[in-house]
């Protein structure tokens, strides 16, 4: 663990005097609670370092993009926006990433870790060691999945040497993480290959599946009518003959050309203003929210939508991150997140939520955010995918990237749905071959019937 010290001496105000100076945005070197990161901040630039017990690799960088007293905003060309805020203590600060609910704690350290000042080693051996160590220090679910990660290292490490080819190294990485069946684990090996998988028996959402399902729904469920398309086609809406609304969401992102959180949030608000007018919310007898093909995105956009479905604040979930490289049972203090009513027309009547194995990531956190929704809310279909954490993106020596989860989303009682996913209250088959062959949509029909009671 890195020592926590102050890197600069702070002048003290005379006794009894109050400083007229506004709090200054944090600067210096900061270790993140959890997440395996160190940030270097100055007045104009933020630089991330991805650290493990065997490595330090430069990560994302961002330039100053405004702020206010005690807070500084940084942004980069990829649309990432970071806000670093003073907390009133010289040795502590808070980091917020747009689109991700909650903050990450920062602890001031004296200087960058020594490994960050060295030339980083290259080659397949170094890549393997950083790969294994990154999972060892951050992945929370080895015990739950019955994986002995140390045994995995003992098995595969002897197969790696200076002459190991890219294809051989990629094959080893793939074999190591395949048994996790974790949709938030990925190996991005450039031209050599790309690996990711889902829970057995489920399918990763994609454009082909989404197009197929949209066409089927319009033909079968909407009797040939087209969905009204919004937000770059990621949101569809129709009103059903029985006075119910049908809202289909294929992702919580990709709404705007800029595809950053601010732009997506603005488009989502515009879309919901169109769908949830004072007139429509008054006449709706029920709302079906279809998340069965939802590839995730921003959890904050899910909370934004949930805010259109309640008249009072309520608990959504609590986030925590693994926070000890040597102990997978230790986490940061859980941060509760709440759904807050939007200052716009809202629908607060009965809701049926359709889910399945292709309901992934932010699609699942949105489902979790509806579990304590005031009023009648019922889940219909199949278990969601079972991955909730933000996906950490990490660089490897040689230029490859990996992704992995390190967070848990807790219920009020402290439970999680990682692995098996959120179960439906009313099980129904979801887009099976038999359903397609026989022209059925059992989950949709069940929702119409339930809301019509």
């Amino acid at each position: 663990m890195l020592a926590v010290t102050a890197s600069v001496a702070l002048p003290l105000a005379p006794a009894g005097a109050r400083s007229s100076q506004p709090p200054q945005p944090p600067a210096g070197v900061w270790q993140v609670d959890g997440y395996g990161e160190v940030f270097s901040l100055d007045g104009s630039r933020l630089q991330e370092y991805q650290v493990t017990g065997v490595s330090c690799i430069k990560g994302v960088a961002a330039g100053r993009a405004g702020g206010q007293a005690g807070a500084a905003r940084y942004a980069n060309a990829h649309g990432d926006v970071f806000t670093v805020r003073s907390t009133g203590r010289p040795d502590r600060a808070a980091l917020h990433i747009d689109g991700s609910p909650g903050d990450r704690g920062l602890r001031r350290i004296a200087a960058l870790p020594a490994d960050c000042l060295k030339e980083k080693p290259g080659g397949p051996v170094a890549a393997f060691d950083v790969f294994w160590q990154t999972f060892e220090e951050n992945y929370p679910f080895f015990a739950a999945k019955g994986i002995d990660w140390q045994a995995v290292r003992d098995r595969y490490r002897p197969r790696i040497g200076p002459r190991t080819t890219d294809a051989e190294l990629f094959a080893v990485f793939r074999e190591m993480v395949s048994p996790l069946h974790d949709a938030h684990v990925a190996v991005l090996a450039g031209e050599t290959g790309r690996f990711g998988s889902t829970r057995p028996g489920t399918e990763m959402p994609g454009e082909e599946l989404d197009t197929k399902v949209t066409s089927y729904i319009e033909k079968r469920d909407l009797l040939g009518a087209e969905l009204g398309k919004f937000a770059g086609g990621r949101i569809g809406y129709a009103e059903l003959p029985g006075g119910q609304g049908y809202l289909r969401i294929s992702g919580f992102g990709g709404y705007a050309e800029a595809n950053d959180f601010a732009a997506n949030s603005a488009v989502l608000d515009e879309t919901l203003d169109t769908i949830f007018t004072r007139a429509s919310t008054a006449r709706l007898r029920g709302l079906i929210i279809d998340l069965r093909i939802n590839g995730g995105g921003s959890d904050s956009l899910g909370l934004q939508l949930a805010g259109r479905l309640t008249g009072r604040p309520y608990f959504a979930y609590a986030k925590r991150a693994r926070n000890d490289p040597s102990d997978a049972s230790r986490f940061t203090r859980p941060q509760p997140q709440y759904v807050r009513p939007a200052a716009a027309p809202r629908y607060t009547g009965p809701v049926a939520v359709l889910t399945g194995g292709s309901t992934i990531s932010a699609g699942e956190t949105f489902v979790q955010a509806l579990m304590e929704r005031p009023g009648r809310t019922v889940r219909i279909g199949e278990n969601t995918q079972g991955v909730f954490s933000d996906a950490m993106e990490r660089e490897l020596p040689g230029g490859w990237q990996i992704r992995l989860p390190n967070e848990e989303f807790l219920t009020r009682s402290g439970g999680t749905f990682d692995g098996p996913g959120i179960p439906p209250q009313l099980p129904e088959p979801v887009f099976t071959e038999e359903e397609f062959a026989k022209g059925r949509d059992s989950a949709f029909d069940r929702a119409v019937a339930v809301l019509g009671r």
Side-chain angles (χ1 to χ4, degrees), residues 229-235 253-256 267-268 271:
K229 305 294 196 307
F230 304 90
R234 306 279 278 173
I235 298 176
Y255 301 158
V267 171
L268 179 58
T271 299

Side-chain angles (χ1 to χ4, degrees), residues 66 73 121 191 247 258 323 364 409:
R73 287 175 65 84
E191 296 181 358
L247 178 64
N323 196 32
E364 300 182 83
F409 280 59

Side-chain angles (χ1 to χ4, degrees), residues 102 111 163 172 216 221 230 250 275-276 285 302 339 351 410 442:
R163 296 185 179 181
V172 164
Y216 186 76
D221 299 335
F230 304 90
S250 62
I275 294 171
F276 295 129
R285 295 179 54 198
V339 175
V351 170
L410 307 178
S442 298

Side-chain angles (χ1 to χ4, degrees), residues 57-385:
I57 298 176
K58 266 190 175 183
V60 298
R64 184 70 179 267
Q68 54 189 358
R73 287 175 65 84
Y74 301 85
N76 62 21
H78 302 294
D80 303 314
V81 178
F82 309 85
T83 301
V84 183
R85 188 181 69 254
S86 298
T87 62
R89 291 176 50 183
D91 62 335
R92 298 288 291 179
L95 169 71
H96 180 78
I97 301 175
D98 278 12
S100 180
D103 293 334
R104 302 179 184 184
L106 301 179
R107 297 175 181 268
R108 187 186 294 277
I109 59 177
L112 287 173
D115 282 347
C116 300
L117 306 177
K118 300 176 183 177
E119 183 177 354
K120 63 182 180 182
V125 174
F128 180 95
D129 288 343
V130 174
F131 179 91
W132 183 88
Q133 194 73 30
T134 300
F135 278 86
E136 167 69 8
E137 295 185 8
N138 296 285
Y139 193 75
F141 308 123
F142 287 126
K145 294 175 181 287
I147 303 295
D148 183 339
W149 193 238
Q150 182 61 54
V152 171
R153 185 183 192 280
D154 294 343
R155 176 182 177 186
Y156 287 100
R157 181 65 166 74
R159 291 169 51 176
I160 308 301
R163 296 185 179 181
T164 299
T165 66
D166 285 351
E168 291 168 338
L169 185 63
F170 176 69
V172 164
F173 288 168
R174 178 173 181 152
E175 289 179 32
M176 290 170 69
V177 298
S178 289
L180 297 175
H181 300 298
D182 191 321
H184 271 171
V185 169
V187 181
L188 311 177
E191 296 181 358
T192 303
R194 179 188 183 105
F195 173 74
S197 67
T198 58
R199 177 164 53 79
T202 65
E203 185 175 356
M204 183 69 77
E207 184 175 351
E208 182 178 349
L209 178 60
D210 188 63
T211 300
K212 175 183 178 181
V213 167
T214 300
S215 176
Y216 186 76
I217 287 169
E218 290 178 334
K219 178 181 178 181
R220 194 270 177 195
D221 299 335
L222 303 184
L223 304 177
E226 287 190 10
L227 276 171
K229 305 294 196 307
F230 304 90
R234 306 279 278 173
I235 298 176
Y237 184 75
E239 292 197 358
L240 305 178
Q244 300 160 354
Y246 173 78
L247 178 64
R248 183 167 185 268
I249 305 168
S250 62
F252 286 98
Y255 301 158
E257 185 174 348
N259 202 28
D260 57 35
F261 175 73
N264 284 326
S265 176
V267 171
L268 179 58
D269 265 341
E270 292 171 5
T271 299
L272 298 178
D273 285 343
T274 301
I275 294 171
F276 295 129
T277 64
R278 295 189 186 281
S280 69
T281 55
R283 69 174 175 264
L284 281 180
R285 295 179 54 198
L287 178 66
I288 299 171
I289 303 178
D290 192 346
L291 305 167
R292 289 175 292 179
I293 310 298
N294 186 293
S298 165
D299 301 320
S300 294
L301 293 178
L303 293 176
Q304 186 173 332
L305 171 56
R308 297 292 186 114
L309 304 173
T310 182
R312 63 177 176 85
Y314 68 92
F315 174 84
Y317 42 72
K319 287 181 64 173
R320 67 179 187 178
R322 183 176 163 183
N323 196 32
D324 188 328
S326 62
D327 186 348
S329 68
R330 296 186 64 181
F331 287 80
T332 57
R333 183 188 301 274
Q335 288 190 47
Q337 306 299 317
Y338 295 88
V339 175
R340 305 188 187 279
R346 301 182 298 272
Y347 171 75
T348 58
V351 170
V353 185
L354 307 186
T355 67
S358 295
T359 309
I360 289 181
S361 192
E364 300 182 83
T365 67
F366 173 69
V367 175
Q368 189 168 350
L370 296 183
M371 293 181 72
E372 293 198 23
R373 174 181 178 264
R376 186 178 170 206
T377 307
V378 60
R379 301 185 305 278
I380 301 174
E382 297 176 344
N383 284 43
T384 64
Q385 177 64 214

